[in-house]
Amino acid sequence: MAVREGRSFVGLEARKPSASVRMLDYVMDFCFMVEDRLEELGMSRTELAERLGKKPSSVTRVLSGSANITLQTIAEYDAALDLGIILSRNESRMERPSLTVTATARKDETDVERSYTSTEG
Amino acid sequence: MAHGYEIRAHAMLGVRILVLAKEDRRDFLEKLEENPKSAERFELVCRTYEKITQRGVGRCVGKQNFVRVLEGNLGLVEVKVGNTRIRVMSYLHGFGEDQELVLMFDFTGHQGSDNIESSDMKKGRKLAKVARECMEERE
C-alpha cells in the first residue's frame, strides 16, 4: 500500500481568497466556460479565432491561461459565442465571486443554467 | 514501498490532493503550506488542483491546456497554475474518466517560451516512474 492519508488543509477553506487566487478562479472559470460553449456549438478554436478576427494562436493563449485576460477579452468572447456572462456579487463575501452563465442570456437555449462558481460541491 | 516513496492524499475543499513524498519526510505541498512566504503559492496550487479535479482531469489534458503532456509514455505532465508562472511537475495515472493527478514538485515556468529546465525534466522523469510504481502498488 503506497498511498496513505495526508494532512487536512482545512484552514484553506476558511481563508479569504487573495486577489491572485480570485484571478486564478476567474481565468480558469472563463476558459472552461468557453471550452464548454465551443463543444456545444461544435466549433473549433480556429473557427472561433476567425469569428473574433484574431489569430488562432491568440485564442490558444487565452484558453490555456497564458494570456492576460481583460474585460475587453471577455466582452469579445461573450459577443462571439453568446456566452451570456454576467458579473454577479456573492451574498457572502467569503465566497468567491463568479462569472455566471444564465439561461436567459442565450437565445437558442432555455434549459441551460450553469454556474462556474468554485464554492459548490 | 517504491524506493522509499509513498503517495500522500491530503484532504482539501472536498477533494483529495495526491502528492508524491519520501516516507517520513514532508512533501513539497506541506513545505509550501508551512512557510508564510509561500502561503499564496500553496493556495494557488491547491485551488488549481481542485478546479481540474472537479472538471475532470481528462478534460484539462492537452498540449494547450492546464495539464500539458510532457512525456506521454511516462505519464509525465506539467500542471499550469492558472495564469501564473507557477508550474507543478506531476504524474498522470490511468485512462479516460479515471485519470488521477499525482503532484510531484513545483517550479517556476519560463515566461513566454514555456521551456522547462533540463534538470527539472530529469527529476520529473525519475519521479514519474516512482509515482507510477506507488500508484500500481495501490491497485
Side-chain angles (χ1 to χ4, degrees):
Chain A
M1 185 67 177
V3 179
R4 74 169 181 85
E5 291 303 312
R7 283 195 200 170
S8 174
F9 298 135
V10 284
L12 200 58
E13 298 178 39
R15 196 180 299 171
K16 188 175 177 181
S18 66
S20 300
V21 172
R22 287 165 197 258
M23 186 66 187
L24 178 134
D25 280 348
Y26 300 150
V27 167
M28 293 188 78
D29 288 350
F30 177 71
C31 293
F32 293 161
M33 187 188 296
V34 171
E35 280 177 0
D36 286 348
R37 186 64 175 147
L38 288 176
E39 270 181 31
E40 284 170 11
L41 297 172
M43 187 187 287
S44 68
R45 289 183 177 189
T46 307
E47 288 168 323
L48 171 60
E50 282 170 15
R51 195 178 276 195
L52 288 164
K54 295 181 183 296
K55 292 179 183 173
S57 60
S58 163
V59 171
T60 295
R61 287 186 66 248
V62 167
L63 295 187
S64 65
S66 302
N68 180 27
I69 298 173
T70 63
L71 282 174
Q72 175 75 24
T73 312
I74 293 172
E76 286 172 359
Y77 278 64
D78 192 8
L81 295 172
D82 195 19
L83 291 167
I85 290 175
I86 56 165
L87 289 171
S88 61
R89 186 174 181 275
N90 273 336
E91 290 300 315
S92 166
R93 295 178 70 188
M94 283 303 291
E95 291 176 4
R96 279 168 279 168
S98 64
L99 297 165
T100 308
V101 178
T102 60
T104 50
R106 296 208 188 141
K107 294 168 190 164
D108 56 335
E109 295 164 29
T110 54
D111 59 345
V112 176
E113 185 159 350
R114 200 173 276 169
S115 171
Y116 289 80
T117 317
S118 313
T119 49
E120 51 182 38
Chain B
M1 299 284 179
H3 311 291
Y5 282 85
E6 64 186 12
I7 305 285
R8 255 170 234 162
H10 298 297
M12 184 217 68
L13 299 167
V15 299
R16 279 155 53 91
I17 305 182
L18 302 179
V19 183
L20 181 68
K22 274 192 174 171
E23 288 173 297
D24 304 322
R25 298 275 290 274
R26 290 175 304 156
D27 59 61
F28 88 96
L29 212 50
E30 290 171 326
K31 288 178 187 170
L32 287 181
E33 188 207 15
E34 287 165 13
N35 186 348
K37 285 183 182 173
S38 60
E40 187 165 89
R41 194 179 181 99
F42 163 74
E43 188 169 358
L44 288 167
V45 170
C46 291
R47 298 279 190 209
T48 300
Y49 193 98
E50 176 204 12
K51 282 194 168 290
I52 289 172
T53 306
Q54 284 178 347
R55 183 166 175 78
V57 177
R59 297 189 72 189
C60 300
V61 177
K63 203 172 180 182
Q64 304 292 345
N65 214 322
F66 289 98
V67 181
R68 185 162 72 113
V69 178
L70 300 175
E71 295 199 9
N73 57 333
L74 290 177
L76 184 63
V77 297
E78 169 199 52
V79 175
K80 294 174 69 174
V81 177
N83 59 328
T84 72
R85 288 173 57 202
I86 303 168
R87 304 283 184 267
V88 183
M89 198 68 85
S90 308
Y91 164 66
L92 185 62
H93 185 73
F95 300 96
E97 290 180 6
D98 296 328
Q99 282 182 313
E100 291 178 285
L101 265 183
V102 179
L103 306 183
M104 302 191 300
F105 62 92
D106 66 320
F107 63 102
T108 302
H110 188 275
Q111 198 163 25
S113 73
D114 267 348
N115 285 344
I116 300 172
E117 297 275 347
S118 58
S119 57
D120 286 332
M121 282 299 297
K122 191 177 171 185
K123 187 177 168 186
R125 284 188 198 103
K126 179 195 152 199
L127 292 178
K129 289 174 190 168
V130 175
R132 172 177 285 173
E133 282 182 39
C134 289
M135 291 298 280
E136 284 172 353
E137 273 184 40
R138 181 188 67 164
E139 293 157 0

